[in-house]
């Protein structure tokens, strides 16, 4: 049977040692008759590798992928280039078939990678300390908020903006629902900036959560907002884009207390949204409230430098209900990929990537400016993402047309606007100004020819509605 | 040979990744952006050549034990063989390079897979409502408790207590606390099962959920399950099943059939993972009908396709947004799809009958080890178990100053990963062994032989173990007291 | 520059240690001015990984592959299934980036694999000894002939049949051209069997080279031919198909002296013909004339069992012009793949694979029998390959039609028949009875649906010529 | 821990690979075939589970040193970094799963690549005729000698002698012999270069080919090359260049420009391989115009496509069968395409300028090592070299009984692969070091430091080296005298 080892002889000898007649005897002695399943599980029959590989290949081919189509989708997940060296390393069994490094002596590989990852994250963010990763960007944002609430006992207010990723806010709502905290979502200004948030901060505010560049691709006045928060005694949490740091100022250099990011863009495949990599860094003073695993340096009994999991007294397996979080896994394999990716990038590679994103995004905006049908929404420059309004008010039709022509042209923002299918409550909606709009991301992977093709497909699409 | 850090290998001016010349007009960032927004220089990442990077990380990998290299009987973690076909298939571009915000019409293949997987999870658990969004087991626990909380909230109930077993994983109480519940601990009886008297005493009209692990962390199936089921439900509470130990009961019994109202799976354990050095996992949850509407979404549904041209497009698959009553999201996007795809391939590979054989062989292997180990290590909870068992080194500690930790460290020298030690907390000097179904009798015999030899070895040899690894017995205390959590140029550290 | 390491500082320090001003100075001191290239090489400009990957992906997509098309091609290379575990192992850097195991202490992995490979080949063939691999099946056949000539000094005649792979004969001709030997190609009988070869064997014959199953998919009377050869004091060389041995008798059990095979079908990708794996096994008495590397077992200074390259006195780096062959590489990586593949197969898996080939081939013959246009050529049963005559005499058009419909339906035999473009001389031609024929291979990978589709495409193809 | 053989792990009844149920009518082989044709049972292969197989071969891999894990300064082998992009791109189904008997119209992408690669090989060598069929360097040598033989045959010439240098690779004379030539050896002079007097003495009207390695195996470029060129050609013979050392001269000088009429490349060396544990390689050859018609085929050619729709299909690529004068084939199918695809990617990655930098850095690295090593090891042929150099342990052997082999064995303990030893034959106790361009200065410094330490270490320590490897100094003599070339059940061997 597939991956089983025991031959009939093995089974016989093993049962003899146990002193049982059959495996059923062992099981039935423990599992009461009344709860036993009396039939076989109703699953598809066992399938061999050849047949299953063929079937799954057909299934995979029925999906439009960033390989089969040209991808301009972003919104928190990006089609950045992944060097082959990243896959080479991450496909080594010693990494992907090992577990949490409970025995440091036989886990120095993973532990050193975690320590290097943490160091890279601090270099990237300009903050003092990083954990070894969390589930994803969205849940990491919420963990940062929970951490802020725990740091600031008595303060119950969490302030964020309506141009922070709607799904990230959705998670926040779900978590805060069950605890004693209040979420305030402050409307952005007409250009999609969150400066108004500054006026909402008060002495009840535990933290301010902003995204920079934000969900609609605009930059925020991070330093100003962080300064205002600090003045009120609140912490500032920034959702950042790792690639943007090839050019933009680092969170730590702008007064941010906790920086979180979706690490997918650092060498991790799109994978329909997961597994992804939650990056979290914070100021050193906050370290004992940091959720998740942390690797630290120490020496062994012979004085050799080595690495271990540390500060475990924050964790659930020791502290149980008093832990900083219930998280006991981390995304080591994805953190490894990010570590290899950043090692290959180096400062120059990261900067070059950001520069290519900037130039190609600017070029894409120009290409679209040639059609009266489209309007670029927002007043600021873009790193790699921007919003386009379809004056023909037929975004769904437009994007379907593009997909039929091999282009994933953008993300329809209508469902996220008030009343939309993904905006079940006001706190997670986008401002209504993004109705009839779509979000476009242009990474360094998009060639001029692809951008031209994207522009052509969009500009030549039939308009079903009129202005 | 020294194990240098990336940062120590770095040399200014060295490079690996480069992009080509821009094929669009260049833009000077400082023209486009306000200077206050721009960094003065790129982040101070290390500078390396591609050859540096490969040799560094290949070298580090060889310092890990892993399922692919060693027997890894880490109790409660189900370190089974990770099939290579899963890796190959999950890496097909049509699965790997699909964007999470794509339109469902271009995702029919993947959605079909996820739809069928939902059905398989429901069938194996006996619980019809499935959400695959949670990213890990603990995340699934938390999500299930959110669901329970939403349910009681809608009922207008003020039940706010979660009961957990004293043998439970630490995540149980931690998740309960995060979901806004108070926690109380239910004791184990001398058989290692739920102490029914203690359970009765703690069940009241404030009890929301009893979190049960069955088989529990001692590897024992609680034969009082029918009684537990009755007691908890009569008290008006729900039963949550921690699915960490599902590898013992696939096709043998179903949580939904023995009383669980909610549960999570650990596909990275039960459905062959892999574990990825501690992640990623996934934590899909299954719930009873009346709890389905609270699940986070989206969920995959299907309709008949009127324009079908053959078997392939007989159905249309849809991403259905959660209902108004949904707890909302617990993470961004759909879930850990890469992990779920592997679980699907695993389930299709075994089929229903095969899955039962998986559990049977897991149980057989654990009982076989138990039958051998009990001759030289105490096994406090009897000579039968499900997929794992817990021995105790208490006697050895008294007689020879040989602790569970010493055994764990010394077994590394024999080329085996250590069992889990000091868990569950209800067993003193616990040594928790889970062989899984994918180890040969030869390997199990060699492991028993090594374990036995250790009990006969000299104290000093063992207290200084391991001897064959690059490092031995790191100083955890200093690590926690004076944490060094990143490399620092200024520290003038040197490799040793 | 791509994979280079030295920074400007490095270069300066290194030159200083050397005592040179520049690299040019070092080079110019050695390479005379008159032969130096005074211009840059005229190659395409350097290309980065992102751009090159995209370009190569487009180039690859322009090829019809056994993935994009349904493949019924054989003729010495087969679309058999390769389990994922084979790729997993072969993609480990420790295997593919190592070299010939000159230092046994740090090459025990490769050496043990070679020893296991050799053992597996002896188990597979029923012969006493195997080398660690040669270039490919075709050149291995010629090496076997050279070995036979060397064993049998004085005998100059090499006898083979016109249904041995035409390319294998082509190689033989090229090699024998330069040495004192005579090649006799004996015509097969009207059903494509090589029994007539028995009459050609005489006391001048060094060896008889046959293929079983032969190029046109027919079985040969191997035992009878080998017995006849033996009686005349000649050696028998059999080209075998590894997969066929799941059912057919092993070469060694039929009196064959040297067995060679193309090992591609054991876990190695089609790769447009290479790199492939030359398998060679022989009777133990012949071992000291065996070409290529051989790994053997020994003990180390502490008495530990271990493996080394052995019998190196046969080889060119010691014997130079007196070596048994000039071959000093071997196809270790492909032999590794075959070793892993056979380990996964085991006796049952190999048998099952042969059985599936047999059943599916029989089914394919039936499917084609439904059309008057086609005739199965040859009287014997088929393992996985057979010849079909197109009575409409339009094989090229037929196969082009099939390819346009996504099916690589067979190999056109016309070019290999006398006068054809691949039959530059009589000794390498197929018998003229295979004019207007094509060769079809059906492996275990072909599903019933694919065979039906193949049959449908062929049967529905327009006939441009008439019978 | 024991390293068991596959055959010792085997257990009857265990299985890994299985096929599904037949979807066509089953056929009983014994009905279809004559019983005399069928085996009584399947071959006695080992029986293993998939988990067995993976752990076995992953484990074995860790017993190898490789470029990905260690500095590998094996002289004459050019163990440079093997780019990972090459592996990824060469594995695209459109390259990997293409059948060798496919029609050229479905192969336009691959043929374009091969066509362009032919052109690049011609440009780098300065020789216009290219055949990519040979499977390895030695195979290329042999093929080139077949070409030379065909040429002289057509000329009606009875030239039947090949001259080889005494420092040449052993394949040179072996190939000459296989191609039907007699061989004579030309001596090296005290500078390590071709002894011109000896060459003159041996050149006569029987000389067909002079086989030259330049730079030679001492890492020296023969500065007498113009004179050699004149002498050989005036004698009516051809010059063959052994391309093993091309890594020294890319873009610096071209064999065609310095007199070679034929040559082979080792793409697995010069163009980044990989080496695959000893293979596969490839051995494309380049020849002068007048030799082109003798090349084995097919060759790729191109024509303008009249129906072109864009840049992509501007040309049609063709497989052109060799001419009537061709020597025929030297292997089946096109050649080692997988290796050639990697070479193409490598060449495109560097481009022309980059390729010259490759050689420059290879030369820089070798000279840097030489500048350090010469202080404690004799380097008989001066203090300048191209991409490699040969030191001699003769003095150490006399003074400290420290042989080249001892150095090679001991350096393994320091975490480096050994240099080539005892080759070339013209240097006593030769230690041949080739660092390649893809090692950092840090690595080169660490290697020199280790080498120096060894010269200072105690005799006994070194004579018993290596100490850190699983085995040490295997008994080669017994291995050859009483060869054990396969595992045998009957032998009752046991793992140790």
């Amino acid at each position: 049977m597939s991956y089983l080892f025991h031959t009939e002889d093995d089974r016989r000898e093993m049962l003899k040692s146990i002193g049982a007649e059959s495996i059923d005897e062992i099981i039935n002695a423990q599992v009461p008759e009344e709860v036993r399943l009396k039939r076989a599980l109703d699953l598809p029959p066992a399938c061999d590798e050849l047949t299953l590989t063929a079937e799954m290949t057909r299934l995979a081919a029925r999906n439009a992928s960033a390989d089969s189509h040209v991808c301009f989708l972003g919104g928190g997940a990006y089609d950045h280039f992944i060097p082959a060296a990243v896959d080479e390393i991450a496909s080594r069994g010693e990494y992907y078939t090992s577990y949490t490094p409970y025995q440091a002596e036989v886990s120095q590989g993973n532990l050193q990678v975690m320590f290097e990852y943490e160091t890279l994250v601090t270099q990237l963010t300009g903050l003092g300390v990083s954990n070894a990763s969390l589930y994803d960007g969205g849940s990491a944002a919420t963990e940062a908020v929970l951490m802020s609430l725990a740091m600031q006992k008595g303060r119950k207010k969490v302030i964020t903006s309506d141009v922070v990723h709607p799904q990230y806010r959705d998670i926040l709502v779900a978590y805060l629902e069950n605890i004693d905290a209040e979420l305030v979502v402050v409307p952005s200004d007409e250009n999609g900036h969150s400066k108004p948030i500054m006026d909402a901060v008060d002495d009840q505010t535990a933290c301010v959560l902003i995204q920079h560049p934000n969900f609609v691709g605009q930059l925020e006045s991070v330093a100003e907002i962080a300064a205002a928060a600090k003045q009120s005694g609140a912490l500032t949490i920034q959702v950042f884009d790792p690639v943007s740091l090839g050019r933009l100022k680092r969170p730590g250099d702008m007064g941010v207390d906790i920086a979180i990011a979706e690490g997918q863009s650092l060498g991790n495949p799109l994978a329909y949204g997961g597994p992804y990599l939650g990056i979290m860094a914070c100021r050193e003073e906050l370290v004992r409230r940091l959720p998740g695993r942390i690797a630290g340096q120490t020496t062994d009994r012979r004085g050799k430098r080595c690495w271990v999991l540390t500060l475990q007294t924050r964790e659930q397996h020791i502290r149980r209900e008093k832990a900083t979080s219930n998280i006991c896994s981390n995304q080591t394999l994805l953190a490894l990929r990010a570590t290899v990716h950043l090692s290959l990038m180096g400062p120059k590679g990261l900067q070059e990537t950001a520069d290519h994103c900037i130039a190609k995004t600017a070029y894409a905006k120009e290409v679209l400016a040639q059609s009266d049908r489209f309007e670029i929404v927002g007043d600021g420059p873009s790193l790699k993402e921007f919003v386009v309004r379809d004056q023909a008010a037929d975004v769904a039709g437009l994007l379907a047309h593009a997909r039929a022509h091999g282009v994933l042209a953008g993300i329809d923002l209508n469902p996220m606007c008030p009343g939309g299918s993904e905006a079940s409550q006001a706190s997670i909606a986008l401002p209504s100004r993004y109705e009839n709009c779509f979000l476009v991301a242009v990474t360094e992977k998009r060639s001029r020819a692809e951008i031209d093709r994207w522009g052509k497909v969009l500009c030549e699409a039939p308009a079903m509605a009129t202005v | 040979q020294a194990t240098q850090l990336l940062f120590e290998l770095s040399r200014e001016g060295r490079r690996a990744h480069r992009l080509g010349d821009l094929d669009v007009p260049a833009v000077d960032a400082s023209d486009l952006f306000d200077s206050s927004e721009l960094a003065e220089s790129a982040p101070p990442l290390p500078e390396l050549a591609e050859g540096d990077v490969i040799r560094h990380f290949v070298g580090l990998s060889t310092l890990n034990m892993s399922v692919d290299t060693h027997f890894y009987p880490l109790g409660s973690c189900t370190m089974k063989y990770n099939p290579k076909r899963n890796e190959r298939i999950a890496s097909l571009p049509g699965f790997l390079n699909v964007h999470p915000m794509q339109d469902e019409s271009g995702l029919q293949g993947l959605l079909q897979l996820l739809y069928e997987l939902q059905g398989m999870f429901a069938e194996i658990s006996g619980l019809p409502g499935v959400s695959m969004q949670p990213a890990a087991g603990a995340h699934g626990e938390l999500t299930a408790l959110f669901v329970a909380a939403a349910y009681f909230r809608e009922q207008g109930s003020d039940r706010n207590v979660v009961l957990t077993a004293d043998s439970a994983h630490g995540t149980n109480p931690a998740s309960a606390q995060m979901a806004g519940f108070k926690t109380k601990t239910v004791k184990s009886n001398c058989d290692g099962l739920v102490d029914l008297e203690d359970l009765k005493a703690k069940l009241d009209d404030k009890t929301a959920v009893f979190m049960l692990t069955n088989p529990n962390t001692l590897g024992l199936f609680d034969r009082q399950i029918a009684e537990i089921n009755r007691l908890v439900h009569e008290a008006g509470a729900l039963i949550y099943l921690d699915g960490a130990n599902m590898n013992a009961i696939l096709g043998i019994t179903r949580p939904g059939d023995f009383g669980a109202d909610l549960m999570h799976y650990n596909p990275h354990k039960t459905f062959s993972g892999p574990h990825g050095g501690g992640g990623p996992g996934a934590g899909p949850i299954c719930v009873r009908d009346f709890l389905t509407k609270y699940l986070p979404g989206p969920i995959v549904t299907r309709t008949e396709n009127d324009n079908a041209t053959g078997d392939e497009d007989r159905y249309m698959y849809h991403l259905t947004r959660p209902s108004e009553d949904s707890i909302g999201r617990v993470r961004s996007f759909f879930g850990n799809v890469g992990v779920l795809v592997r679980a699907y391939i695993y389930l299709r590979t075994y089929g229903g009958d095969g899955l039962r054989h998986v559990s049977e062989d897991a149980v057989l292997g654990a009982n076989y080890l138990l039958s051998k180990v009990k001759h030289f290590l105490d096994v406090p909870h009897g000579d039968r178990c499900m997929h794992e068992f817990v021995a105790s080194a208490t006697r050895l500690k008294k007689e020879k100053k040989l602790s569970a930790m010493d055994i764990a460290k010394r077994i590394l020298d024999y080329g085996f990963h250590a069992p889990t030690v000091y868990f569950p907390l209800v067993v003193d000097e616990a040594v928790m062994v889970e062989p899984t179904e994918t180890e040969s009798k030869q390997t199990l015999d060699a492991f028993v032989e090594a374990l036995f030899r250790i009990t006969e070895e000299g104290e000093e040899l063992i207290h200084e173990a391991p001897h064959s690894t690059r490092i031995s017995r790191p100083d955890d205390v200093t690590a926690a007291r004076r944490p060094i959590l990143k490399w620092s140029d200024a520290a003038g550290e040197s490799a040793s």
Side-chain angles (χ1 to χ4, degrees), chain A residues 320, chain B residues 164-168 185-189 193 217 423-426:
Chain A
R320 300 180 78 87
Chain B
T164 63
D166 58 1
S167 62
T185 304
V186 175
K187 275 187 268 187
S188 301
N189 64 21
L193 307 177
T217 57
F423 183 81
L425 309 178
V426 296

Side-chain angles (χ1 to χ4, degrees), chain A residues 64 105 136 273 301 403, chain B residues 102 105 331-332 361 409 464:
Chain A
E105 287 91 341
D136 76 331
R301 68 174 171 82
R403 195 167 54 70
Chain B
Q102 269 179 233
S105 52
R331 55 153 290 165
S332 40
D361 271 13
K409 293 300 181 192
E464 297 196 344

Side-chain angles (χ1 to χ4, degrees), chain A residues 171-194:
Chain A
I171 301 164
L172 197 51
V173 169
Y175 276 67
L176 295 189
E177 178 81 40
N178 296 289
I179 58 174
D180 182 19
E182 178 199 357
L183 179 65
V184 178
V185 180
V186 179
S188 54
D189 68 20
E190 74 278 11
N191 284 310
H193 302 289
S194 302

Side-chain angles (χ1 to χ4, degrees), chain B residues 173-191:
Chain B
S175 297
Q177 188 271 336
M178 282 184 78
F181 292 102
K182 295 192 168 68
T183 58
K184 286 186 191 167
T185 304
V186 175
K187 275 187 268 187
S188 301
N189 64 21
C190 57
D191 293 337

Side-chain angles (χ1 to χ4, degrees), chain A residues 15 18-31, chain B residues 384:
Chain A
L15 284 168
I18 296 167
E21 285 295 312
S22 68
I23 303 178
D24 274 351
E25 180 192 319
I26 302 170
I27 289 170
N28 292 347
Q30 300 176 77
V31 180
Chain B
R384 284 289 183 278

Side-chain angles (χ1 to χ4, degrees), chain B residues 15-252:
Chain B
R15 286 193 68 174
H17 186 71
R18 272 164 210 278
L19 292 174
D21 292 339
L22 262 176
D23 58 356
V24 299
V27 172
D28 190 334
S30 58
D31 291 342
L32 199 61
F33 294 92
D34 195 276
S35 66
S36 68
E37 289 161 341
L38 296 176
E40 280 169 30
S41 59
L45 303 171
E47 301 177 57
L48 304 154
E50 189 172 313
D52 272 331
V53 174
I54 288 293
R55 201 175 282 165
H56 178 73
F57 288 104
V58 169
L60 284 185
S61 78
T62 64
L63 302 178
N64 288 340
M65 277 192 179
S66 65
V67 173
D68 275 6
T69 52
H70 297 85
F71 177 41
Y72 212 124
L74 195 67
S76 203
C77 298
T78 316
M79 300 298 287
K80 62 171 68 178
Y81 173 64
N82 305 128
K84 303 313 165 193
R85 68 192 68 168
N86 297 10
E87 299 303 311
R88 171 152 79 182
I89 293 172
S91 299
L92 291 168
F95 295 133
L96 197 65
N97 298 332
V98 174
H99 192 281
M101 300 285 232
Q102 269 179 233
D103 194 71
E104 65 187 37
S105 52
L107 286 172
Q108 290 298 302
L110 181 57
L111 294 182
Q112 179 184 333
L113 181 157
L114 294 171
Y115 177 85
E116 292 176 3
L117 184 59
Q118 282 174 186
M120 293 193 243
F121 284 155
E123 167 65 8
I124 295 165
S125 65
L127 293 167
V130 181
S131 168
M132 304 198 286
Q133 193 169 75
H139 205 212
E141 273 180 34
L142 180 64
T143 306
L145 291 171
F146 284 174
V147 166
Y151 165 73
F152 287 115
R153 204 152 43 227
E154 202 189 23
Q155 302 286 307
S157 158
D158 61 351
R159 291 176 181 266
N160 66 348
V161 174
V162 164
L163 303 183
T164 63
D166 58 1
S167 62
H169 294 103
T171 50
N172 286 190
S175 297
Q177 188 271 336
M178 282 184 78
F181 292 102
K182 295 192 168 68
T183 58
K184 286 186 191 167
T185 304
V186 175
K187 275 187 268 187
S188 301
N189 64 21
C190 57
D191 293 337
L193 307 177
V194 171
D195 183 329
L196 288 186
E197 292 314 309
D198 196 45
L199 174 63
K200 279 182 211 162
K202 280 167 184 161
L203 275 171
D204 60 22
D205 60 0
K206 289 289 184 189
T207 311
V209 180
F210 177 42
M211 299 182 82
L212 177 69
T213 310
N214 193 25
N216 65 20
T217 57
L218 294 163
L220 305 174
F221 192 91
D222 202 318
R223 53 180 181 266
Q224 321 164 114
I225 186 67
E227 179 68 1
I228 293 170
N229 183 1
R230 195 182 56 76
L231 287 172
V232 175
H233 285 117
E234 280 181 1
L238 300 175
I239 295 180
Y240 173 81
L241 182 91
D242 181 330
N245 293 340
M246 285 300 290
N247 209 46
I249 57 169
L250 300 167
I252 291 170

Side-chain angles (χ1 to χ4, degrees), chain B residues 341-421:
Chain B
V341 169
R342 286 168 173 82
Y344 176 89
I345 301 162
Y346 182 81
L347 289 169
R348 288 290 309 277
T349 298
Y350 271 112
D353 282 345
L355 224 46
R356 191 187 157 102
H357 285 298
V358 164
S359 286
E360 286 177 354
D361 271 13
V363 170
L364 178 66
N367 279 279
Y368 177 65
L369 279 187
L370 171 51
S371 76
K372 299 279 189 183
V373 166
K374 68 181 178 188
H375 297 300
F376 53 87
L377 268 183
D378 293 333
V379 182
H381 294 99
D383 59 0
R384 284 289 183 278
C385 63
M386 294 295 283
H387 67 303
E388 64 187 358
F389 67 93
V390 181
S392 167
T394 307
R395 190 169 44 85
L396 282 169
K397 198 174 179 190
K398 272 188 214 140
E399 292 171 7
K400 304 187 57 178
K401 295 188 185 154
L402 186 58
S403 68
M405 184 58 81
D406 290 329
I407 293 175
K409 293 300 181 192
R410 180 60 180 150
I411 196 90
L412 305 175
D413 284 330
Y414 283 89
F416 300 106
H417 195 280
T420 296
V421 287

